[in-house]
Amino acid sequence: MFTRSFLRAGGAAAALLCLIASPQALQAKPGAANSNSAGQLSITDAWIRGMPLSVPSGGYFTLTNHTGKKMVLTGADSPACGMLMLHRSENVGGRTEMKMVSEVAVPAGGSIAFAPGGYHLMCMQAKPAIKPGGSVPVSLIFKDGTRLTSQFPVRDAAGK
Amino acid sequence: MFKTRQSLIALLSVLLLLLLAAAAMLWREGGGGPGQVVSTGQAAIGGPYHLINQDGMPVSDRDFRGRYQLIYFGYTFCPDVCPTTLALIAAALEKMGPDAKRIAPIFITVDPGRDKPQILKKYLAAFDPRFIGLTGSQDELSKVEKEYKVYAQKEPLKGGTYAVNHSSVIYLMGPKGKLVTFYNEILTPEQLAKDLTAKTS
């Protein structure tokens, strides 16, 4: 069943799905709107994994841009993370590669989903504050200097 | 007379072509020639391993004869794909109910430098108590990665640390240790549970 051409097609399909971020946003709990707006920029469906030990945590959200102009996300920070970076998991011919992302553009009227298997925040040196059941503040930083802060609920390692 | 001769040559040419075609077909099926696929199509994935589990105890592939192994290669410093996949496996096993007993879910690290037994123990406990975490020397793990055709490559990260890019595939090995199937596409727990139930019954 899993012939080479099938695998290639599967890999391509997986890569394509990672690129089309919005279907993965559906993995977020319905009604779990945790929105925070700076003008007309909003973060919804935000969450971060509470991991054991201090291994890196993945953070996710959907960012919607109703500012009327293109917004460029260039970074993030949080008092709960020693280092917080933008990353993207990509399926490159069956291999998972994690690439650091320097900027993500969100067109006017558009949205981008950071979701499992695609774009994600990588929270390193996670502080004890990141415990399932709690929440931590995360600020998204934009090229024009805008900072958008939102509370990210902490789910367990499996994302529940 | 001319016509007959031409027809004769034409007939012989056709016969000759048919003979050549038949010979070519037989030659191909006989397994000769460049590019001929010799195997039955089943990739030669898998092999023996001698590693240690999250309790520091030695574990080998032979310990699982008679059971299915669901093997995933990953590492704990991985913020996204590995937790997502481990969560998928845990959820699929939950959905299978008692049928899941046939399956040993195994997590083999591609990062033995950081993933010591006690690290694996705490990490896997956050997903499902059934997970078996395996680590060992880099030499032994490189050997196992090769057997399972796993790609694993360190990539430096800002801040002086590193990530490990790796092939993200879930392998299902049968009761005799041979590959049954593998999954390298986006699946829901329902889809994985359904396929696992079918493949292990």
Side-chain angles (χ1 to χ4, degrees):
Chain A
M1 193 188 163
F2 293 100
T3 61
R4 277 216 181 88
S5 53
F6 184 91
L7 285 174
R8 270 200 213 112
L16 197 62
L17 275 171
C18 285
L19 287 171
I20 307 165
S22 41
Q24 294 174 344
L26 293 172
Q27 285 188 28
K29 285 191 189 121
N34 180 27
S35 70
N36 186 308
S37 312
Q40 287 139 315
L41 260 180
S42 69
I43 294 173
T44 52
D45 302 321
W47 63 280
I48 188 164
R49 289 184 204 274
M51 301 299 290
L53 310 153
S54 52
V55 295
S57 301
Y60 309 97
F61 56 90
T62 299
L63 175 66
T64 305
N65 177 13
H66 288 307
T67 62
K69 60 178 169 73
K70 181 173 87 170
M71 290 297 286
V72 182
L73 178 65
T74 55
D77 62 33
S78 169
C81 306
M83 272 187 84
L84 189 53
M85 295 189 281
L86 306 180
H87 272 108
R88 187 177 194 184
S89 299
E90 281 181 311
N91 191 316
V92 183
R95 297 171 176 178
T96 292
E97 302 204 346
M98 191 170 74
K99 295 256 145 71
M100 180 155 149
V101 171
S102 55
E103 56 179 55
V104 186
V106 191
S111 73
I112 185 101
F114 274 48
Y119 285 111
H120 57 278
L121 297 176
M122 181 172 181
C123 171
M124 300 208 306
Q125 298 144 31
K127 302 279 158 47
I130 304 189
K131 247 195 274 285
S135 73
V136 293
V138 174
S139 301
L140 297 186
I141 302 158
F142 296 82
K143 206 169 201 169
D144 67 358
T146 303
R147 281 182 65 94
L148 179 59
T149 303
S150 192
Q151 283 290 115
F152 276 47
V154 183
R155 297 189 192 168
D156 67 16
K160 295 202 182 68
Chain B
M1 206 167 146
F2 173 77
K3 254 198 176 162
T4 314
R5 200 163 162 219
Q6 268 213 320
S7 320
L8 187 64
I9 291 170
L11 181 64
L12 283 173
S13 309
V14 170
L15 278 173
L16 186 62
L17 277 170
L18 281 171
L19 270 172
L20 281 172
M25 275 173 63
L26 284 170
W27 184 58
R28 270 189 67 214
E29 283 173 17
Q36 174 69 42
V37 174
V38 178
S39 75
T40 56
Q42 181 105 307
I45 286 175
Y49 56 77
H50 297 88
L51 298 168
I52 52 171
N53 70 8
Q54 64 261 52
D55 293 314
M57 304 301 290
V59 168
S60 100
D61 57 297
R62 301 208 67 84
D63 297 338
F64 301 102
R65 291 294 180 265
R67 278 180 88 191
Y68 289 83
Q69 300 170 75
L70 194 63
I71 302 177
Y72 181 67
F73 289 80
Y75 67 114
T76 69
F77 207 78
C78 167
D80 180 49
V81 173
C82 305
T84 303
T85 309
L86 289 172
L88 164 66
I89 293 170
L93 292 176
E94 270 306 307
K95 291 206 180 291
M96 288 176 75
D99 289 344
K101 280 204 190 83
R102 300 191 283 244
I103 299 173
I106 298 167
F107 179 72
I108 301 183
T109 187
V110 294
D111 187 10
R114 283 184 295 214
D115 290 347
K116 303 299 179 202
Q118 57 270 39
I119 301 290
L120 286 178
K121 193 178 174 84
K122 286 218 174 83
Y123 182 79
L124 292 170
F127 292 96
D128 193 290
R130 289 172 280 201
F131 273 114
I132 296 151
L134 298 179
T135 184
S137 68
Q138 183 61 71
D139 278 348
E140 184 61 36
L141 281 159
S142 298
K143 191 168 80 82
V144 182
E145 283 163 16
K146 219 178 190 142
E147 284 172 353
Y148 287 78
K149 302 216 185 337
V150 169
Y151 163 79
Q153 184 67 50
K154 276 188 184 152
E155 172 150 326
L157 285 177
K158 198 168 77 176
T161 184
Y162 64 90
V164 183
N165 291 329
H166 60 100
S167 41
S168 189
V169 181
I170 307 171
Y171 301 92
L172 179 65
M173 312 304 287
K176 293 200 174 97
K178 298 265 184 284
L179 181 77
V180 173
T181 189
F182 58 97
Y183 309 95
N184 72 342
E185 32 184 32
I186 296 169
L187 288 171
T188 64
E190 291 76 17
Q191 288 169 327
L192 182 58
K194 190 165 175 211
D195 204 71
L196 285 174
T197 304
K199 297 274 192 318
T200 61
S201 47

